Amino acid sequence: MTDSMQHRGPNDAGYEVFDATNASIGFGQRRLSIQDLSSSGHQPMHFQQYTLIFNGEIYNFHEIRKELEIRGYHFSSGSDTEVLLKGYDCWKEKVVDRCIGMFAFVVYDRTRNKIIFCRDRAGVKPLYYYWYNNVFLFGSELKALCAHPAFQKEIDVNSLSLFLQFSYIPAPYAIYKNTWKLKPGHFLELDLGNTGLHTYPYWEVLDAYKKPLTTQPLEAVINETEALMKSAYSYRMVADVPVGVFLSGGYDSASVAALLQKDATSRIKTFTIGYKEKAFDESAEAKKIAHHLGTDHTEWIIGPADAKEVLHHLPEIYDEPFADNSTVPTTLVSRLASRQVKVALSADGGDEIFAGYHKFGQSLRYTGNMPRGMQSLLSHAMDLINPEWIPYFNKQYNFASRYEKMKLIWASGQPQKAMKYISQYLTETEAHHYMNTVPQAYKTSFDLNGELNDVNDSLNRLLAVDYKTFLVDNNLVKIDRATMSVSIEGREPMLDHRLVEYLATVPASMKVKDNVNKYILKTIVHRYIPQHLMDRPKRPFIAPLQEWFREELKEQMQYYLSEERLRKSGLLHAPHVTQLLKKYLSGAKVSHQKLWNLLVFQLWYSRWIEQL
């Protein structure tokens, strides 16, 4: 199980088996050496009646260590693992309240006859588990669970439906039955005495968003935010190995590069992926920013051939169906960085905590620009008309899906529901249309209702939901698997919980000011980089799949979405999928993301279930 994840830790391996009264317990860990490169950081690590395995980083471990030394603890290594283990001895689960970092860790606590699992507040580090027939399995990736002979690879069609809708599977669900993701900010306890499982939160982002809004003036908010960013970013530079920054050319990554380079004594290494297709390429802008800041910059301009080579590695890297349309460039920029560094800083979370995505404003406008009764009336009227019958509009890009989404948005009248529908690539009805069985609907954090009542601001309500859905199960999965696939550690400086908690108390009027999204972040960046280098339309970090699918990747799409292979996998409705593919290849304005989701599932099925 552990060796299946050698890429996550090529520097060291440790395995131990313990016999309890009514259980056999196996702990395994692969180590990527970042702090204390010596063998003294070897895991599993023991102290008193505790055994620990740990993935991640505790950035403020020096401060925690000093506090423990005052209490009489002694240390034999320079690793954060030993600090975490002795911190657990001192404070038990409360140790995480002191930790600034990203982590998934497991403690065998013999004093309580329990195994304790924990995942960091944002969910930067993954933790899967399986519980069936008195077998409990856990690991950082699903491939570790698949390596165990007791693991049953039965596909959960309810999770498959979620994947088709969103292009990822929201926590706590996983693609296999009896398998879950531990939610961010949660503990899981396995009681060895009664084999009981209990999950509970130690940190909840909604609590931060329920605190009163700040009364500070805007300038003070901007200054406080900048100070928190400097602290968060500098903590992520703590390492005994080379560190670099992914630089896309947008405000988020530019802020990381700018604040770090400002006080650095040497040139920060920055890395950029560009495209031969100019409509998608931001490499020139990233190069200008790098030149202005004085970073040591490396770029790689990729084309369809590079994408084609990566395509068949994706199911191995992302061992659960995962169809974010920037997996290809994220994998390639990780490869690029791995030639020079062992740690790479990404800038995920900027859109969630500073309010950057257009979907936030759309969700509020679509549900707030007309009376509730009018919305309901329009939704009912739309129910009576087939969008395919509407002249002119039925020829527009993805019109039937957009029509269905607006109908659902006006039927709900709720901004958070509107954001759910905007976030879907296929509506629930469409997903069922392409499946052979009708699944049950799983509740996700998109479906929170009363839990959002006390959130301090209507925009902040949407930011909180996005933090609990798209951020953790799309963006953080993408960067973790891509970086780990080439044995480098991806760090997320914008997701420092102190910065998240502070910005949760900042009102919408400051986050979006004078129709400018991310006003606070942009103001801070302009202190370091001239505005003319930054100001341009927002372009997401995505691959030009639409062009590639009609040309170089067309053959792969036709192969895996053929009726023969669809019938072999058996979960997708072959006639409907092949009809969609034919429409797309004939030039109809069909969403390429729908086909990408379907293709990714078929690629995943071929790797993990049965070769197609």
Side-chain angles (χ1 to χ4, degrees):
M1 291 174 71
T2 307
D3 287 350
S4 73
M5 299 189 299
Q6 182 177 355
H7 54 283
R8 295 188 75 92
N11 304 128
D12 188 23
Y15 327 89
E16 292 185 36
V17 176
F18 319 100
D19 286 319
T21 304
N22 62 342
S24 179
I25 303 158
F27 271 22
Q29 196 259 2
R30 296 289 319 200
R31 185 178 179 210
L32 178 64
S33 301
I34 302 294
Q35 306 284 357
D36 186 352
L37 309 186
S38 74
S39 60
S40 59
H42 179 79
Q43 299 181 39
M45 189 176 283
H46 307 277
F47 180 70
Q48 307 288 26
Q49 295 298 305
Y50 314 111
T51 300
L52 172 77
I53 49 177
F54 162 48
N55 172 219
E57 301 290 344
I58 309 299
Y59 302 118
N60 64 331
F61 76 98
H62 288 297
E63 294 98 303
I64 300 172
R65 175 172 169 155
K66 286 176 184 174
E67 191 176 353
L68 288 166
E69 286 173 336
I70 291 170
R71 291 171 178 260
Y73 287 87
H74 300 281
F75 293 85
S76 58
S77 76
S79 74
D80 54 349
T81 306
E82 187 180 4
V83 171
L84 181 61
L85 179 57
K86 291 177 178 176
Y88 181 84
D89 176 64
C90 184
W91 300 296
K92 296 299 183 287
E93 289 90 339
K94 292 290 184 184
V95 66
V96 296
D97 296 338
R98 288 172 162 80
C99 293
I100 299 171
M102 57 178 190
F103 44 83
F105 67 81
V106 186
V107 179
Y108 177 23
D109 185 338
R110 294 169 183 80
T111 66
R112 298 154 70 191
N113 200 28
K114 290 181 178 180
I115 301 180
I116 312 297
F117 303 80
C118 182
R119 192 174 178 200
D120 67 70
R121 299 170 182 87
V124 179
K125 286 299 168 188
L127 207 168
Y128 290 88
Y129 64 96
Y130 171 83
W131 179 231
Y132 188 65
N133 279 349
N134 274 338
V135 174
F136 186 95
L137 307 173
F138 64 92
S140 296
E141 297 183 13
L142 279 176
K143 56 177 64 72
L145 279 57
C146 292
H148 195 285
F151 183 71
Q152 297 182 18
K153 293 196 289 186
E154 294 183 61
I155 292 175
D156 183 343
V157 293
N158 305 331
S159 293
L160 173 57
S161 173
L162 288 175
F163 163 71
L164 293 176
Q165 292 171 54
F166 297 105
S167 81
Y168 61 87
I169 299 173
Y173 312 110
I175 189 60
Y176 298 116
K177 291 180 179 178
N178 307 308
T179 309
W180 294 269
K181 305 176 181 87
L182 182 60
K183 287 183 178 182
H186 275 68
F187 280 107
L188 168 67
E189 282 188 6
L190 173 59
D191 189 319
L192 298 174
N194 60 21
T195 63
L197 278 184
H198 173 51
T199 61
Y200 57 93
Y202 65 87
W203 188 88
E204 169 58 71
V205 74
L206 287 177
D207 292 339
Y209 279 102
K210 289 178 180 180
K211 291 179 180 176
L213 291 171
T214 181
T215 57
Q216 290 179 295
L218 178 59
E219 187 68 18
V221 167
I222 292 170
N223 291 336
E224 178 74 10
T225 301
E226 184 177 4
L228 284 167
M229 288 166 64
K230 285 180 177 178
S231 173
Y233 293 7
S234 61
Y235 264 132
R236 270 72 183 174
M237 295 296 286
V238 174
D240 296 330
V241 294
V243 180
V245 176
F246 292 155
L247 182 64
S248 69
Y251 276 93
D252 301 345
S253 61
S255 79
V256 177
L259 269 68
L260 290 175
Q261 188 61 72
K262 175 73 166 57
D263 297 320
T265 54
S266 59
R267 297 170 71 197
I268 300 287
K269 292 182 180 294
T270 53
F271 303 93
T272 294
I273 286 292
Y275 298 109
K276 293 175 181 176
E277 294 81 5
K278 294 301 179 187
F280 295 83
D281 184 44
E282 286 192 295
S283 61
E285 289 88 347
K287 184 185 288 186
K288 289 176 186 175
I289 292 166
H291 178 74
H292 174 80
L293 295 174
T295 68
D296 179 4
H297 190 61
T298 305
E299 70 174 21
W300 181 8
I301 308 300
I302 66 171
D306 302 299
K308 194 172 183 178
E309 189 275 326
V310 167
L311 190 64
H312 290 286
H313 294 290
L314 292 181
E316 185 68 35
I317 296 169
Y318 298 93
D319 50 15
E320 181 171 62
F322 182 75
D324 181 276
N325 50 21
S326 59
T327 50
V328 170
T330 305
T331 301
L332 291 173
V333 77
S334 299
R335 287 186 187 177
L336 179 66
S338 70
R339 299 167 192 165
Q340 300 185 47
V341 300
K342 280 295 177 187
V343 173
L345 275 59
S346 186
D348 297 291
D351 286 305
E352 285 80 4
I353 64 175
F354 287 103
Y357 293 131
H358 295 306
K359 63 185 175 186
F360 303 136
Q362 288 173 332
S363 301
L364 293 168
R365 286 196 307 274
Y366 291 161
T367 54
N369 279 359
M370 67 176 71
R372 180 73 196 95
M374 180 66 74
Q375 292 179 46
S376 182
L377 189 64
L378 282 169
S379 177
H380 281 106
M382 292 173 78
D383 226 0
L384 304 174
I385 303 170
N386 186 332
E388 300 292 347
W389 299 344
I390 304 175
Y392 175 74
F393 291 104
N394 59 9
K395 298 289 192 290
Q396 301 307 303
Y397 175 76
N398 204 28
F399 177 69
S401 291
R402 290 186 290 140
Y403 183 93
E404 176 72 13
K405 287 181 180 183
M406 282 309 307
K407 184 178 74 176
L408 292 168
I409 287 169
W410 282 332
S412 76
Q414 299 177 22
Q416 63 267 27
K417 287 290 187 184
M419 190 171 75
K420 172 183 177 177
Y421 302 134
I422 291 169
S423 300
Q424 290 173 323
Y425 293 104
L426 286 84
T427 64
E428 193 173 348
T429 302
E430 284 182 302
H432 297 175
H433 178 72
Y434 293 111
M435 295 177 67
N436 270 335
T437 55
V438 177
Q440 296 177 331
Y442 276 153
K443 182 181 177 181
T444 72
S445 290
F446 280 114
D447 304 309
L448 298 177
N449 193 8
E451 302 96 325
L452 299 171
N453 287 347
D454 297 327
V455 171
N456 55 30
D457 183 294
S458 57
L459 174 63
N460 283 346
R461 187 174 292 125
L462 302 182
L463 302 188
V465 171
D466 213 49
Y467 186 98
K468 292 169 71 68
T469 53
F470 182 69
L471 173 69
V472 59
D473 292 311
N474 187 90
N475 292 348
L476 297 185
V477 168
K478 175 178 61 181
I479 201 72
D480 174 79
R481 305 306 190 278
T483 52
M484 287 279 101
S485 73
V486 290
S487 303
I488 64 174
E489 181 176 87
R491 294 182 175 179
E492 301 289 359
M494 300 191 97
L495 294 177
D496 189 298
H497 71 277
R498 298 167 301 156
L499 182 60
V500 172
E501 288 174 351
Y502 177 71
L503 286 169
T505 67
V506 174
S509 59
M510 294 185 185
K511 289 172 176 167
V512 181
K513 182 172 167 54
D514 301 326
N515 290 322
V516 176
N517 288 8
K518 295 205 281 199
Y519 182 85
I520 294 169
L521 179 66
K522 289 177 179 179
T523 302
I524 293 168
V525 170
H526 293 158
R527 293 175 174 178
Y528 299 83
I529 303 171
Q531 189 167 345
H532 72 267
L533 287 181
M534 298 301 308
D535 272 355
R536 59 188 179 278
K538 180 179 174 65
R539 274 189 283 185
F541 184 58
I542 61 175
L545 294 175
Q546 183 125 357
E547 283 78 358
W548 295 351
F549 277 171
R550 287 206 170 99
E551 296 170 14
E552 287 83 353
L553 301 185
K554 179 179 175 180
E555 186 180 332
Q556 280 87 344
M557 192 160 60
Q558 288 176 311
Y559 178 87
Y560 284 101
L561 296 184
S562 68
E563 286 224 21
E564 176 190 351
R565 283 159 192 85
L566 288 164
R567 293 189 193 284
K568 191 174 180 182
S569 57
L571 290 159
L572 300 175
H573 189 69
H576 290 163
V577 174
T578 53
Q579 182 185 24
L580 179 71
L581 178 60
K582 285 175 184 174
K583 284 178 68 176
Y584 178 79
L585 293 176
S586 70
K589 295 187 176 180
V590 172
S591 168
H592 62 277
Q593 184 69 40
K594 293 179 182 179
L595 288 163
W596 180 234
N597 288 10
L598 295 162
L599 172 62
V600 163
F601 175 75
Q602 287 288 94
L603 286 165
W604 174 85
Y605 186 95
S606 184
R607 165 61 184 89
W608 292 103
I609 307 297
E610 181 184 6
Q611 189 164 357
L612 297 178

